[in-house]
Every structure is written in structure tokens, then in C-alpha cells.
Amino acid sequence: MATSKWYVKLVNLTTGKVIGADLPHTDQPSPTWDQQINQQCSIGFTTPVGHKGGLSAQTLRTVVTPGDFGAAMCYGTGTASDHIAQGGPNWTTQLLSENPAMLKISGAGMWSVLNARVQIPSTWTTSMGLADSRSIATYTGSYHDIACQIISNAVARGALPIDVPPLAGGTQSMTYNGFDLISAGQRLQELTQLDGGPDIYFRPYFAAANVIRWEAVIGNPTITNTGNPLLFDHGSNLVQCLPTADGTKRALRTFVKGNGTEAAIAWAFAQDVAAITGGKLLLEMVDTNHSDVTDQTTLNAIATADQGLNGKPVETWDATARIDGPHALGTYGPGVRADYNFTCHPWIPPGRYTQRLLGMSSGSNDGEIKHIIQAMQGAA
């Protein structure tokens, strides 16, 4: 029976066709990668140059030229059913040593290609210029649908092996002016940041033994679990969990600066009266990111939201999970909710905690990956 392992495939990013055999890598326990919602994400691996089965320098210069081809971080036995943790274009190369010659290759997920492609109608040509309606795109439907149309338009402007889901229907509308010359990737990022905006990530998979494609996974607005609920049990498939509490942005009173200057500036504040009068250390913060806002009601709402966010420390969990067991690598993706069960953790009280799993990344030990969990606001 074949043993599962991490391996690297090179891929043509216009066709999805795999280039040659596995590319040797020396990374232990695995190449580096991460897969998160609403992020460009990253890949990285090291390959020998001209020794230990490595390709020659001449060949490598061709197949890993930054911006020409891509790589996929794969796990399995070498079949079309194997899992691809992340894949996308190679963006940088660095010779780490001469003897032995080792080349570090770094890249990013498919979102990075959209960051390098302008959001402008696929029917537009440079001869049209940017002064009339032919450079303007208006997309309608749900925010899910608008994301689909941004991606489909980018694919129409230049071939990419991306699968776009069907439209879901809705009444939103977004207009993108060509003269802004903003990338499709940035437009997607902006969309995810709207109230009710969709979760988005690009899932690479083997469409055939020698073809890799990327599925655009788009929430409406969030991505939901399929199948049994995810459960990671501390001491079993949850190897460890190391919490961090951060109070560097904690505030008992929050100020927001709006439009205007000096004494005429528009401003608002919110505060935790009980904490202040109760004798807690007075901590204040100022939000300067809304200098265009003149409406007092809006400023008040921003101040209230900021205070709710920063009123207590923010807790994050550095969680490590096994890649085998009841929830094996490839059986779940970013954006879903998972339960984390603790009975005898040295810091976290016993209980079953439901958390949002924003993504995963390569682990520090063989057979493990990292879970990227949404920070918990207001942690004690």
C-alpha cells in the first residue's frame, strides 16, 4: 500500500496542465502553505539544483521563472484523488546556498493573479480609452453573484483554470469604473469587507491526473459546513492549543475623529461607564480612519462598534490538528465552524467551544497542520 506524502507539482496557470513529474523538495515536514478565506495566501518550497534528483539550473530557470508558471502543494499517494493544500503562481526565487545548490521558491494562491489583473470589461480594448461607458462594468445580484461576475470577467480577459459557481440571485448592484484601474483582486477584497459580503477562497484540485484547476468557493454570505459537524478533541485529533490574549488596543473610552479640522472637527465617543467608575485603569484610543464622515449618527455608531471591539482583550488560539483521524486533511475547508473540546487543558476551562475556522496552514511536525481560528473579541 502506497504511503501518503507531501509533493510539489508545477503547473501551467493558463491551462492547468501539470508540467513534468514531481519537483523534488527538501522541506520538512512539508512545503509551506496556507489556505484562508478572503486572503491571497502563500506557498513556498526548496528544491535542489542539479543534485539529489533535482532539475538542472537551466531547466529550473524555465519552469520556475517568477510570474510564468505555478506550483501546487499536494498530499497523497500520487493519484488524481490526492488533496492539494494550496497552489498558485511562483513569484520569487532565491538561491539559498551554492554547495549544495538549493533554490527557495515562493509564491501565492490564485487570488494573487487577480491582484495582477485590472477589473475592466472583457470587451474593452486599449483603443477605447477610459473616458466612456465601454470601460465601465455594472454587476447585479447578490454579493455572491457580484463576486462570481468579477472572477468570470477576469477569466474572460485572459484564460485561467478557475471554476465559477452559478449565480444565486439578489438585488445588489456594484459599478466599477475602468478609469480607476483597480485590480479584480482588490475589488473582490472590498466586496468581502461589506456588511453581508461573501467569504471567498480558491480551492485547487486535480481535475485529472495531469490537470489542476481552482474552484472559486464563494459564500452567500458565509461558507457553511457539509456533512457531520467538525469536532477537534484536545489530546486526540487536536494536538495542542496555545492561547494568546492581547490588550494592546484595549480601551475603556473610544474617540472617533470625523471630518473637519481643529475645533470644528466632527467627533464622537463611546465608553464603558461601569468599568471607569469601578476603578479600572483608564485606557483610551482614537480612531482616525473616518476623516470623510460628517454625519453624527454614523460617527456615534462607529464609536460604539469600536468600543465593543476593544473593550476587553482579544484572544487568539494557536491550534495544531492532526491530518488523519475523523476529520482528515482535505475533508473540510476554510470558513466553516468547528467545535474544540477541552477536558484538562492547563489554561482553557473545560468545555466545548464553537469557533470559526478561517483557514489552515502547514504544520511544524509530520502529520500535523495549523488551524487559523477567528480571534475572539472580549476574551477575559
Side-chain angles (χ1 to χ4, degrees):
M1 182 176 178
T3 302
S4 293
K5 65 176 184 179
W6 287 99
Y7 60 95
V8 176
K9 288 289 190 184
L10 295 176
V11 58
N12 182 314
L13 291 180
T14 59
T15 64
K17 186 173 177 59
V18 170
I19 303 169
D22 300 353
L23 185 66
H25 74 90
T26 60
D27 307 279
Q28 295 298 327
S30 72
T32 59
W33 57 271
D34 71 287
Q35 177 66 285
Q36 301 183 57
I37 59 170
N38 309 334
Q39 300 290 328
Q40 175 173 283
C41 302
S42 63
I43 55 175
F45 59 98
T46 303
T47 189
V49 183
H51 64 97
K52 292 185 178 180
L55 301 181
S56 68
Q58 181 178 2
T59 301
L60 278 172
R61 285 194 196 96
T62 300
V63 296
V64 299
T65 300
D68 276 355
F69 299 104
M73 313 295 106
C74 311
Y75 182 80
T77 59
T79 70
S81 61
D82 285 353
H83 175 65
I84 304 178
Q86 185 56 280
N90 303 320
W91 289 120
T92 65
T93 60
Q94 178 188 7
L95 191 66
L96 298 179
S97 60
E98 292 187 10
N99 188 19
M102 305 296 291
L103 186 70
K104 176 69 176 179
I105 300 157
S106 300
M110 188 58 82
W111 201 311
S112 66
V113 176
L114 300 184
N115 284 336
R117 189 163 292 184
V118 173
Q119 165 53 51
I120 201 166
S122 60
T123 54
W124 179 87
T125 64
T126 54
S127 63
M128 295 178 183
L130 301 174
D132 63 30
S133 60
R134 291 176 296 180
S135 70
I136 299 173
T138 297
Y139 302 137
T140 59
S142 63
Y143 286 140
H144 167 283
D145 294 359
I146 293 170
C148 291
Q149 292 168 78
I150 291 172
I151 298 167
S152 294
N153 184 76
V155 172
R157 295 197 61 234
L160 291 171
I162 296 178
D163 305 330
V164 183
L167 302 183
T171 58
Q172 305 291 344
S173 180
M174 300 292 288
T175 296
Y176 299 116
N177 297 308
F179 57 74
D180 290 328
L181 293 176
I182 300 296
S183 74
Q186 182 175 330
R187 291 307 192 194
L188 281 181
Q189 192 76 59
E190 293 168 352
L191 201 63
T192 67
Q193 295 168 353
L194 296 175
D195 182 27
D199 292 337
I200 303 172
Y201 75 96
F202 294 90
R203 183 186 72 87
Y205 70 96
F206 282 104
N210 64 341
V211 176
I212 294 173
R213 294 188 62 83
W214 280 257
E215 176 192 7
V217 181
I218 305 174
N220 193 22
T222 58
I223 296 169
T224 57
N225 298 34
T226 58
N228 295 327
L230 297 176
L231 174 62
F232 295 93
D233 191 42
H234 182 243
S236 179
N237 59 341
L238 180 62
V239 178
Q240 71 172 8
C241 184
L242 307 176
T244 298
D246 183 359
T248 56
K249 294 184 178 179
R250 189 175 181 184
L252 301 188
R253 182 181 290 128
T254 300
F255 297 90
V256 178
K257 294 175 67 175
N259 186 259
T261 59
E262 300 181 351
I265 194 169
W267 66 284
F269 80 99
Q271 60 185 345
D272 185 339
V273 176
I276 294 173
T277 58
K280 285 189 176 293
L281 178 66
L282 178 60
L283 301 170
E284 298 176 317
M285 66 89 67
V286 180
D287 184 347
T288 61
N289 297 318
H290 305 282
S291 60
D292 59 331
V293 178
T294 58
D295 180 66
Q296 190 63 47
T297 301
T298 300
L299 287 172
N300 292 342
I302 293 171
T304 300
D306 282 353
Q307 183 59 43
L309 188 68
N310 299 312
K312 291 184 179 180
V314 175
E315 184 169 303
T316 56
W317 286 2
D318 180 358
T320 301
R322 294 198 56 80
I323 62 175
D324 57 9
H327 302 301
L329 180 68
T331 62
Y332 59 95
V336 300
R337 294 191 177 276
D339 287 345
Y340 295 83
N341 188 56
F342 300 92
T343 55
C344 56
H345 191 277
W347 188 256
I348 301 173
R352 184 164 171 163
Y353 300 82
T354 300
Q355 307 286 15
R356 188 137 188 258
L357 181 61
L358 299 184
M360 294 80 69
S361 66
S362 48
S364 303
N365 299 305
D366 189 36
E368 299 175 357
I369 61 170
K370 296 283 191 180
H371 279 190
I372 303 167
I373 299 171
Q374 187 172 39
M376 292 163 277
Q377 305 295 341

